[in-house]
């Protein structure tokens, strides 16, 4: 089976466009179509649904995709193990990251990263949705949520310490809660999925089901609503550190830490362990966020 045909198929699955996928690999549309036809002939099945505007995977193509990714990653790892192939990383690196974290803490470093690795191209997708790496054709996912997929390798990049915050305006108007239980009498701003706040107390763990008039699926929106005095919220230090420094936000309930083991993770398929482009990306951002990380005052 031709490795170049597999590379084109994997890129096509990500772009849904033969011309775009071929262009990334330096192939003309005609050559790209020919490669896919030969791959289908070799397998004896149709891998793609074709229209005049785009292509999509057939059921057989969906089933074949993870195996194609596995083969390509194994070939790259095998070549790297004996010092063959690309010593210097090159090609397209596809990364998905949470929208707020990616915009605030990854984009400012992209210029320097690309300067270090001039043969690399980054394709970033910023989304708070949990994306399937294989189906999406991604090399790496940056996550700050629970890791549930046992088929992925995870490397911790940085802590994700979370604290309870309010604005001076809110505290002046409504008072400062002194215990977690007092939050039940306050307006709380929720990040969707984090309505139950769990605290460590001298009596053990206490769970508070918070309520309020505003919630959002975006961390920056929750933080900004808190700055505007709409209520009390949980904030990750990486998203609120500048507002804490300026005094726009104040940490409260310091004697009752949140129960949380969250962190910023880089996750990737186990077969891509030695892929040079994956390795240099993770090493770069791991060094950038090395302890003590710049946004963490703790």
């Amino acid at each position: 089976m031709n490795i170049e045909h597999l590379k084109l198929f994997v890129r096509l699955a990500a772009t849904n466009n033969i011309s775009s996928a071929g262009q990334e690999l330096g192939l003309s549309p005609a050559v790209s179509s020919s490669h896919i036809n030969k791959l289908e002939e070799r397998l004896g099945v149709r891998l793609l649904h074709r229209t005049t505007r785009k292509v999509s995977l057939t059921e057989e193509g969906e089933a074949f995709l993870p195996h194609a990714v596995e083969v390509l990653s194994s070939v790259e790892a095998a070549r790297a193990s004996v010092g063959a192939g690309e010593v210097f990383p090159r090609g397209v690196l596809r990364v998905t990251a949470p929208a707020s974290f990616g915009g605030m803490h990854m984009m400012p470093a992209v210029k320097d990263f690309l300067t270090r690795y001039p043969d690399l191209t980054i394709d970033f997708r910023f989304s708070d949705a949990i994306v399937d790496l294989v189906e999406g054709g991604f090399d790496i996912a940056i996550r700050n949520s629970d890791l549930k997929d046992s088929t992925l390798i995870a490397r911790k990049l940085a802590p994700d310490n979370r604290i309870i915050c309010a604005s001076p305006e809110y505290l002046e108007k409504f008072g400062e809660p002194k215990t977690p239980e007092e939050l039940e009498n306050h307006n709380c701003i929720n990040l969707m999925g984090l309505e139950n706040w769990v605290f460590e107390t001298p009596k053990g763990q206490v769970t508070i089901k918070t309520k309020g008039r505003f919630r959002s699926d975006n961390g920056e929106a929750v933080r900004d609503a808190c700055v505007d005095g709409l209520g009390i919220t949980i904030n990750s230090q990486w998203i609120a550190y500048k507002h804490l420094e300026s005094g726009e936000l104040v940490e409260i309930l310091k004697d009752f830490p949140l129960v949380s083991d969250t962190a910023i993770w880089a996750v990737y398929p186990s077969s891509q362990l030695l892929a040079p482009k994956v390795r240099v990306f993770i090493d770069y951002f791991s060094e950038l966020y090395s302890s003590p990380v710049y946004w963490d005052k703790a």
Side-chain angles (χ1 to χ4, degrees):
M1 193 171 295
N2 190 300
I3 296 300
E4 297 306 314
H5 296 174
L6 291 181
K7 288 181 180 179
L8 177 63
F9 172 71
V10 170
R11 293 307 305 142
L12 194 155
T15 62
N16 292 323
N17 186 289
I18 290 180
S19 296
S20 297
Q23 187 175 18
E24 289 185 13
L25 300 176
L27 304 174
S28 69
V31 172
S32 299
S33 294
S34 176
H35 282 0
I36 294 300
N37 289 338
K38 290 178 181 178
L39 179 60
E40 290 179 324
E41 290 172 5
R42 176 82 180 194
L43 293 171
V45 296
R46 184 172 293 279
L47 299 173
L48 305 174
H49 295 298
R50 295 171 173 83
T51 69
T52 55
R53 294 187 176 181
K54 67 176 184 178
V55 297
S56 60
L57 299 185
T58 62
E59 183 177 349
E60 292 78 10
E62 294 280 1
F64 180 65
L65 177 59
H67 298 289
V69 172
E70 180 76 20
V71 168
L72 292 176
S73 298
S74 297
V75 168
E76 188 172 6
R79 290 169 63 84
S81 71
V82 295
E86 303 294 345
V87 177
F88 207 64
R90 66 172 65 241
V92 178
L93 179 66
R94 302 194 73 237
V95 182
T96 177
S100 296
F101 185 83
M104 291 180 63
H105 298 291
M106 303 194 82
M107 281 307 301
V110 167
K111 180 179 179 181
D112 179 64
F113 178 77
L114 291 177
T115 300
R116 292 192 188 191
Y117 303 103
D119 294 325
L120 268 182
T121 298
I122 294 184
D123 182 351
F124 251 127
R125 174 178 173 181
F126 293 127
S127 172
D128 291 326
I130 300 298
V131 178
D132 186 289
L133 270 70
V134 174
E135 288 187 3
F138 290 100
D139 300 297
I140 305 170
I142 307 300
R143 291 180 178 166
N144 63 334
S145 59
D146 294 336
L147 303 179
K148 299 178 181 179
D149 193 336
S150 61
T151 66
L152 300 177
I153 299 287
R155 178 168 167 183
K156 183 178 178 179
L157 297 182
D160 183 18
N161 295 326
R162 297 179 178 182
I163 58 178
I164 305 298
C165 296
S167 70
E169 174 193 349
Y170 180 89
L171 297 177
E172 182 178 355
K173 186 173 182 180
F174 298 101
E176 179 178 344
K178 300 302 182 182
T179 66
E181 289 83 358
E182 291 183 23
L183 287 172
E184 295 176 353
N185 301 318
H186 283 267
N187 192 44
C188 294
I189 305 167
N190 282 315
L191 186 67
M192 291 180 183
L194 287 178
E195 290 81 8
N196 294 321
W197 301 359
V198 184
F199 296 86
E200 289 283 5
T201 77
K203 299 178 182 179
Q205 293 186 2
V206 172
T207 300
I208 305 298
K209 184 173 179 58
T210 57
K211 60 183 183 298
R213 299 178 60 196
F214 178 81
R215 66 175 183 162
S216 175
D217 65 348
N218 180 269
E220 288 179 278
V222 168
R223 178 202 63 200
D224 292 346
C226 190
V227 170
D228 287 341
L230 294 184
I232 297 171
T233 193
I234 290 178
N235 272 312
S236 293
Q237 286 190 316
W238 60 259
I239 203 170
Y241 74 107
K242 289 185 178 180
H243 299 78
L244 291 165
E245 291 173 356
S246 69
E248 294 175 280
L249 289 177
V250 177
E251 182 181 357
I252 62 174
L253 296 174
K254 293 183 180 181
D255 295 332
F256 304 94
L258 288 162
V259 176
S260 174
D261 59 357
T262 55
I264 307 297
W265 301 92
V267 300
Y268 51 99
S270 59
S271 59
Q272 295 189 9
L273 181 61
L274 294 178
K277 62 183 180 180
V278 173
R279 185 180 64 249
V280 297
F281 182 90
I282 294 175
D283 286 347
Y284 177 90
F285 282 96
S286 180
E287 181 180 353
L288 179 66
Y289 306 142
S290 59
S291 183
V293 72
Y294 60 85
W295 63 71
D296 192 349
K297 298 191 299 181

